[in-house]
């Protein structure tokens, strides 16, 4: 899976990662959002509330390929967010408009993708056909209020036969959790240092706060 902070669709989105509760990094996290995500993933961090995945598919059949469903294969699910370590947030410029993409509610009994944008007042069904050599790119935003481990499944029709293709996170499953963690740190949009957010339900972060002194203990 590509680093979502480097994808143009989410270039101005806020990203949040939750470190494992037993991780104690020797150094402070990097300030740059794209660098932070790779740094946090290397330590076992998972996405907080929302996972963003870019999927690129290309037609290889002379008869074309119909892709008529994208869904999550849930490996395990907890309705209650599981305890985790500190939360790290970055990005989130104000006033940005996201291009059209697809969304998925991981808490649904059978999570499946749907287009986020209404067309003529209706939300079209997910699906498209690829001719040989044609490429389609779509960006998935998957969310949960609990904790979900999952992979992506694409349903295809090739030469009249149904096939299923699994998409993973570089060979591993995706994990998305709404666990708040014991404390939250954020680099404000355009900021050059980390600040600690207030311990409130919304974890509000002050603007122009002093540089944070990281604490990873509970």
């Amino acid at each position: 899976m590509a680093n979502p902070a480097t994808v143009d669709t989410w270039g101005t989105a806020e990203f949040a990662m939750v470190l494992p509760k037993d991780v104690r990094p020797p150094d402070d996290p990097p300030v740059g959002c794209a660098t932070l995500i790779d740094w946090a993933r290397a330590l076992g961090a998972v996405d907080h509330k929302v996972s963003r995945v870019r999927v690129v598919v290309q037609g290889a059949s002379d008869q074309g390929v119909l892709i008529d469903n994208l869904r999550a294969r849930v490996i395990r699910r907890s309705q209650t967010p599981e305890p985790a370590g500190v939360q790290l947030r970055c990005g989130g410029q104000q006033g940005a408009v996201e291009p059209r993409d697809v969304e998925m509610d991981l808490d649904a009994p059978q999570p499946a993708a749907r287009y986020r944008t209404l067309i003529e007042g209706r939300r079209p069904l997910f699906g498209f056909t690829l001719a040989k050599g044609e490429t389609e790119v779509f960006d998935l935003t998957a969310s949960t209020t609990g904790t979900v481990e999952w992979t992506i499944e694409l349903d295809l029709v090739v030469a009249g036969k149904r096939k299923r293709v699994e998409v993973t996170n570089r060979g591993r499953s995706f994990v998305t959790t709404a666990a708040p963690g014991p404390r939250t740190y954020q680099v404000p949009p355009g900021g050059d240092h980390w600040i600690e957010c207030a311990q409130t339900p919304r974890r509000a972060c002050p603007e122009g706060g002093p540089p944070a002194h990281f604490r990873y203990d509970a």
Side-chain angles (χ1 to χ4, degrees):
M1 181 178 71
N3 185 325
T6 65
V7 175
D8 52 0
T9 300
W10 304 304
T12 55
E14 180 179 271
F15 298 91
M17 308 288 291
V18 180
L19 292 173
K21 59 183 178 181
D22 57 347
V23 164
R24 302 290 184 270
D27 302 311
D28 288 350
V31 171
C33 204
T35 307
L36 168 68
I37 291 176
D38 288 336
W39 177 90
R41 284 178 175 169
L43 293 172
V46 300
D47 297 322
H48 183 248
K49 290 187 178 180
V50 175
S51 289
R52 297 178 175 91
V53 185
R54 166 162 283 187
V55 181
V56 181
V57 292
Q58 186 174 54
S61 170
D62 291 333
Q63 300 183 37
V65 178
L66 169 64
I67 300 178
D68 61 2
N69 194 17
L70 182 157
R71 62 173 175 268
R73 181 178 74 86
V74 176
I75 299 171
R76 65 180 181 88
R77 173 189 282 146
S78 171
Q79 295 182 345
T80 303
E82 299 173 355
V86 303
Q87 180 190 142
L88 304 173
R89 301 196 309 218
C90 64
Q93 296 180 15
Q94 299 298 317
V97 177
E98 292 186 355
R100 181 185 305 179
D101 56 357
V102 296
E103 64 184 0
M104 184 160 58
D105 179 7
L106 294 171
D107 298 332
Q110 296 179 328
R114 63 176 189 171
Y115 290 106
R116 300 184 68 179
T117 303
L118 297 178
I119 298 179
E120 297 181 352
R122 289 195 259 175
R123 197 182 305 274
L125 296 175
F126 178 84
F128 51 87
T129 301
L130 291 175
K132 184 175 182 179
E134 186 177 6
T135 299
E136 179 77 15
V137 178
F138 54 93
D139 296 324
L140 170 67
T141 300
S143 59
T144 182
T145 58
T147 297
V148 183
E149 181 179 359
W150 54 289
T151 62
I152 296 171
E153 289 185 336
L154 288 172
D155 286 340
L156 317 177
V157 179
V158 184
K161 296 181 180 180
R162 281 206 163 269
K163 295 185 177 182
R164 183 169 298 167
V165 175
E166 185 176 47
V167 180
T168 64
N169 183 6
R170 298 178 181 177
R172 298 181 296 176
S173 55
F174 300 94
V175 180
T176 314
T177 182
R183 55 187 55 85
T184 300
Y185 299 96
Q186 181 173 10
V187 178
D192 60 1
H193 63 269
W194 290 93
I195 59 176
E196 184 170 357
C197 305
Q199 295 300 302
T200 63
R202 291 180 61 107
R203 301 293 172 104
C205 292
E207 294 185 9
H213 297 284
F214 277 87
R215 294 176 297 148
Y216 295 100
D217 55 299

